[in-house]
Amino acid sequence: MAIERTLSIIKPDATRRNLTGKINAKFEEAGLRIVAQKRLHLSTAQAGKFYEVHKDRPFYGELVEFMASEPVVVQVLEGEGAIAKNREVMGATNPANADAGTIRKDFALSVGENSVHGSDAPETAKEEISFFFSGLELVG
């Protein structure tokens, strides 16, 4: 399996509850390395641009408002099959459907406040990583 990089966001509901370390421990225990990381507070415009792919969906406005409500931690995870591994560790979007031991099962408050975001494909990962990080910031 190829070494990949994927974007991970620890969302406002999780940063508010000081879960960054616990969430990152799950990624690291799964064999993923954090090769870039920063904490920031997205503006509404930045959150809107990042989630622009969902602009025609009914939840878009609420998602943008939520993502701009409090600080997030954006990071790049690296490892063999990192995209699929990250999604496995995160669990299903709806925490009620997530497997035991996944981030969303353990920490999510609801479908909307589900603690983490992860890229869903190599192309998406590349775009999402470049949204937040320059090449100089990726230290593996």
Side-chain angles (χ1 to χ4, degrees):
M1 201 174 265
I3 299 295
E4 295 177 327
R5 287 182 171 168
T6 189
L7 184 79
S8 166
I9 301 176
I10 300 176
K11 294 182 177 181
D13 63 293
T15 62
R16 178 180 64 241
R17 293 178 292 141
N18 293 318
L19 296 174
T20 302
K22 289 179 180 179
I23 289 171
N24 282 336
K26 288 186 177 281
F27 292 135
E28 291 176 335
E29 288 165 9
L32 296 168
R33 292 183 38 199
I34 300 166
V35 297
Q37 181 182 70
K38 54 187 159 186
R39 183 181 183 93
L40 48 89
H41 196 148
L42 296 172
S43 68
T44 302
Q46 289 168 322
K49 181 71 174 163
F50 182 76
Y51 285 105
E52 191 171 50
V53 67
H54 298 302
K55 70 180 178 225
D56 295 327
R57 311 270 310 261
F59 60 81
Y60 174 74
E62 186 178 328
L63 174 62
V64 169
E65 183 179 321
F66 168 61
M67 291 301 291
S69 68
E70 294 186 52
V72 297
V73 173
V74 294
Q75 54 196 11
V76 179
L77 305 177
E78 180 182 81
E80 286 192 27
I83 296 165
K85 178 60 71 175
N86 179 34
R87 297 188 70 75
E88 177 185 320
V89 173
M90 288 190 308
T93 302
N94 183 342
N97 299 332
D99 291 339
T102 62
I103 292 167
R104 289 177 172 150
K105 186 61 144 186
D106 291 351
F107 303 123
L109 299 173
S110 66
V111 173
E113 291 184 308
N114 62 17
S115 300
V116 286
H117 164 91
S119 303
D120 62 2
E123 303 78 26
T124 310
K126 185 176 180 177
E127 289 175 24
E128 290 182 344
I129 290 168
S130 69
F131 185 89
F132 290 107
F133 295 96
S134 74
L136 292 174
E137 295 175 295
L138 303 174
V139 182

